[in-house]
């Protein structure tokens, strides 16, 4: 049977990696819809060629062959693994990891393939990434601060954010393009939608205006003006309406996968009053 299981990354990688996962397909091909998250991903088929999925600005539909096992890593925006190019050159692209890491990618393929189990292969993959981060330290602290400020739940003016970071708006835009792959505004919209999905997956109780509940209430909690605003952004980012994406169930995406590990970093940034209500839900 097809399965998809997420886990938090190794503690030493938590500041760079949002989540790790293992996906298995059954006897038939599986159609996977990848959504924009603001970060890059590594997809590592056991026995196959690993790929890096650049920052997405829209949906990417992939057909995964039958009887395939993939270990994967999803990175926080602005904390991509060490790469020989800037992120805005990789937007909406899928590249072989060998093109980017050369000999080290071939060595990693052999290591993961001989690991014995996907779980051990995922641990070895994380260990390799940890070593690379320690060697390069390739994280822009100002962009990381910008990403934290652009998380959902509170409106942030981009020009004011640039001033707060002692940057001009054009400098902030350029640095985000280089290290995230998108402008601050596009990133803000992406993270707001991810915040909505985090609330839906957590079964959150809307805490907004009187008489507004369900999807409309969660839309307001995530920072949308109303449900229509959410619907427009959902269609733009996923190619589906919210109802189509969630399959009519606010607490579970249509694919049936549990993404709680992936969305925990978003819920952790939620204001305390809203978090308390979520925990009581």
């Amino acid at each position: 049977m097809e399965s998809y299981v997420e886990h938090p990354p190794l503690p030493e990688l938590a500041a760079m990696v949002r989540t790790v996962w293992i996906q298995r397909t059954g006897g038939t091909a599986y159609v996977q819809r990848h959504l924009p998250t603001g970060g890059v991903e590594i997809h590592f088929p056991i026995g196959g060629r690993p790929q890096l999925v650049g920052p997405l600005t829209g949906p990417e539909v992939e057909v995964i062959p039958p009887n395939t096992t993939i270990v994967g890593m999803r990175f926080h925006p602005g904390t991509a693994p060490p790469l020989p190019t800037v992120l805005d050159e990789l937007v909406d692209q899928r590249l072989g990891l060998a093109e980017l890491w050369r000999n080290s990618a071939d060595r990693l393929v052999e290591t993961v393939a001989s690991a014995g189990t996907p779980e051990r292969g995922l641990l070895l993959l994380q260990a390799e990434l940890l070593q690379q981060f320690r060697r390069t330290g390739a994280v822009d602290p100002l962009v990381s601060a910008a990403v934290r400020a652009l998380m959902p739940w509170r409106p942030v003016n981009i020009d004011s954010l640039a001033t707060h970071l002692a940057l001009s708006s054009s400098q902030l835009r350029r640095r985000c393009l280089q290290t995230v792959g998108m402008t601050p505004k596009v990133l803000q919209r992406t993270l707001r939608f991810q915040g909505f999905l985090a609330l839906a997956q957590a079964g959150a109780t809307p805490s907004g205006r009187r008489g507004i509940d369900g999807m409309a209430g969660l839309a307001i909690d995530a920072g949308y003006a109303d449900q229509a605003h959410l619907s427009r952004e959902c269609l733009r980012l996923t190619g589906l309406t919210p109802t189509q994406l969630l399959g009519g169930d606010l607490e579970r995406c249509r694919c049936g996968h549990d993404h709680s590990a992936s969305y925990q970093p978003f819920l952790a940034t939620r204001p305390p009053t809203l978090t308390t209500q979520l925990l009581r839900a």
Side-chain angles (χ1 to χ4, degrees), residues 55-108:
L56 297 179
T57 59
E60 183 205 57
V61 177
E62 176 190 14
V63 179
I64 304 175
N67 304 310
T68 298
T69 299
I70 299 173
V71 298
M73 305 176 70
R74 179 173 300 122
F75 292 80
H76 294 297
T79 61
L83 298 170
T85 185
V86 291
L87 264 292
D88 57 340
E89 295 182 359
L90 303 180
V91 172
D92 294 323
Q93 294 191 51
R94 181 183 284 263
L95 293 89
L97 211 56
E99 299 177 46
L100 302 169
W101 287 359
R102 299 181 182 175
N103 293 337
S104 63
D106 292 333
R107 185 185 70 252
L108 196 53

Side-chain angles (χ1 to χ4, degrees), residues 142-195:
L142 284 179
V143 171
S144 295
V147 171
R148 289 193 296 271
L150 293 172
M151 291 290 276
W153 328 126
R154 54 190 179 278
V156 176
N157 179 275
I158 303 299
D159 290 337
S160 298
L161 174 59
T163 300
H164 175 72
L165 296 173
L167 298 171
S168 68
S169 295
S170 60
Q171 287 174 324
L172 177 60
R173 176 186 173 89
R174 182 170 61 253
R175 289 172 80 153
C176 280
L177 283 171
Q178 291 175 341
T179 59
V180 180
M182 57 190 69
T183 67
K185 192 64 179 176
V186 173
L187 176 61
Q188 184 179 44
R189 290 165 59 181
T190 302
L191 294 177
R192 180 171 55 203
F193 183 68
Q194 287 286 302

Side-chain angles (χ1 to χ4, degrees), residues 2 22 29 38-39 66 87 126 133 138 148 152 154-155 165 199 205 232-233 249-250 253 276-277:
E2 192 274 339
I22 298 173
L87 264 292
Q126 292 182 80
F133 274 115
R148 289 193 296 271
R154 54 190 179 278
L165 296 173
L199 293 178
T205 299
R232 291 192 299 271
E233 288 293 281
D249 185 349
L250 261 184
C253 65
T276 299
Q277 293 180 20

Side-chain angles (χ1 to χ4, degrees), residues 6-87:
E6 285 190 354
H7 301 282
L10 293 175
E12 299 90 339
L13 282 173
M16 287 79 76
V17 176
R18 178 174 161 187
T19 189
V20 299
W21 74 86
I22 298 173
Q23 183 170 13
R24 295 176 172 90
T25 60
T28 59
Y30 183 81
V31 179
Q32 177 74 53
R33 181 179 295 265
H34 301 289
L35 306 182
T37 66
V40 305
E41 299 185 2
I42 289 178
H43 296 183
F44 211 116
I46 303 297
R49 309 305 296 179
Q51 295 182 316
L52 182 132
V53 180
L56 297 179
T57 59
E60 183 205 57
V61 177
E62 176 190 14
V63 179
I64 304 175
N67 304 310
T68 298
T69 299
I70 299 173
V71 298
M73 305 176 70
R74 179 173 300 122
F75 292 80
H76 294 297
T79 61
L83 298 170
T85 185
V86 291
L87 264 292

Side-chain angles (χ1 to χ4, degrees), residues 231-246:
S231 296
R232 291 192 299 271
E233 288 293 281
C234 185
L235 193 60
R236 182 199 304 268
L237 292 170
T238 74
L240 301 172
T241 66
T243 300
Q244 290 170 329
L245 180 67
L246 298 173

